[in-house]
């Protein structure tokens, strides 16, 4: 139903790996505007409290209809090349993994510039929460389609977060 609520240009993605968490409620869908001012959003939450993750996505050529919460404390952990899509798919995309660690352990002796440039570790993803950002690409009837997917996690390990991103498959009508 979420796919039907959006236009034909939007490809939604669903996780095949959910770290054993069940979807908590319906998929929220928002779409408005037309042409160059189109805005879309589809989001769902898996799990309650900790552990949990929220999957938010939009068509890459549109704006966010509901902007995911940006963490000022997010620092890059790693950028990984992952294979997404149905089993046997060869589509490789980049997943940028962040942890909400900057400022979490800062002391008065840390300089603002030093804290801002610090990379976070894989362990920080589980300790403080993590984010995976993926530009999911596929083709529909020979036409390329791209979707911006953001996975915000709370209590998942780095490996689990990357596995959720790797398990993304396009939803068909």
């Amino acid at each position: 139903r979420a796919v039907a609520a959006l236009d034909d240009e939007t490809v939604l993605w669903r996780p095949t790996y959910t770290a054993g968490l069940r979807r908590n409620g319906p998929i929220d869908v928002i779409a408005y505007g037309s042409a160059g001012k189109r805005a879309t959003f589809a989001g769902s939450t898996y799990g309650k409290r900790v552990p949990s993750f929220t999957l938010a996505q939009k068509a890459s050529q549109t704006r966010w209809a509901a902007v995911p919460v940006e963490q000022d404390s997010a620092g890059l952990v790693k950028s990984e090349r992952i294979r997404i899509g149905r089993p046997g798919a060869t589509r490789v995309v980049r997943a940028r993994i962040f942890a909400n660690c900057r400022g979490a352990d800062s002391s008065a002796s840390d300089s603002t510039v030093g804290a801002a440039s610090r990379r976070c570790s894989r362990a920080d993803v589980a300790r403080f929460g993590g984010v995976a950002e993926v530009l999911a690409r596929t083709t529909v009837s020979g036409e390329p389609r791209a979707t911006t997917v953001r996975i915000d996690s709370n209590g998942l390990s780095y490996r689990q977060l990357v596995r959720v991103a790797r398990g993304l498959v396009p939803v068909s009508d």
Side-chain angles (χ1 to χ4, degrees):
R1 287 185 281 175
V3 172
L6 297 169
D7 57 32
D8 294 336
E9 302 275 321
T10 306
V11 175
L12 290 183
W13 295 75
R14 68 175 179 82
T16 56
Y17 174 76
T18 63
L21 304 171
R22 299 182 79 160
R23 193 173 76 222
N24 187 11
I27 298 171
D28 297 318
V29 177
I30 304 170
Y32 60 85
S34 60
K37 297 191 182 238
R38 181 93 173 130
T40 58
F41 171 88
S44 56
T45 300
Y46 292 78
K48 295 181 181 180
R49 295 190 188 112
V50 178
S52 66
F53 70 90
T54 300
L55 183 72
Q57 51 192 312
K58 71 171 188 74
S60 65
Q61 72 275 13
T62 67
R63 298 177 304 166
W64 284 103
V67 180
V69 175
E70 294 288 332
Q71 298 289 339
D72 291 337
S73 62
L76 183 65
V77 175
K78 189 173 181 184
S79 183
E80 290 206 17
R81 294 173 55 81
I82 61 171
R83 181 170 286 130
I84 62 171
R86 292 186 177 84
T90 58
R91 177 70 63 177
V92 176
V93 297
R94 183 178 69 154
R96 294 180 351 143
I97 312 299
F98 298 88
N100 299 325
C101 70
R102 291 195 315 202
D105 288 337
S106 65
S107 64
S109 63
D110 286 343
S111 68
T112 306
V113 174
S117 64
R118 177 170 95 83
R119 284 181 79 105
C120 299
S121 72
R122 290 179 178 208
D124 292 335
V125 172
R127 286 177 58 202
F128 306 114
V131 176
E133 291 179 350
V134 179
L135 181 60
R137 297 176 185 273
T138 191
T139 55
V140 176
S141 302
E143 294 291 319
R145 299 281 190 263
T147 303
T148 302
V149 179
R150 182 182 163 110
I151 306 163
D152 289 280
S153 71
N154 190 6
L156 295 184
S157 69
Y158 176 88
R159 177 177 273 162
Q160 288 174 312
L161 180 57
V162 171
R163 192 166 170 199
V164 170
R166 277 192 178 119
L168 293 173
V169 295
V171 176
S172 56
D173 295 338

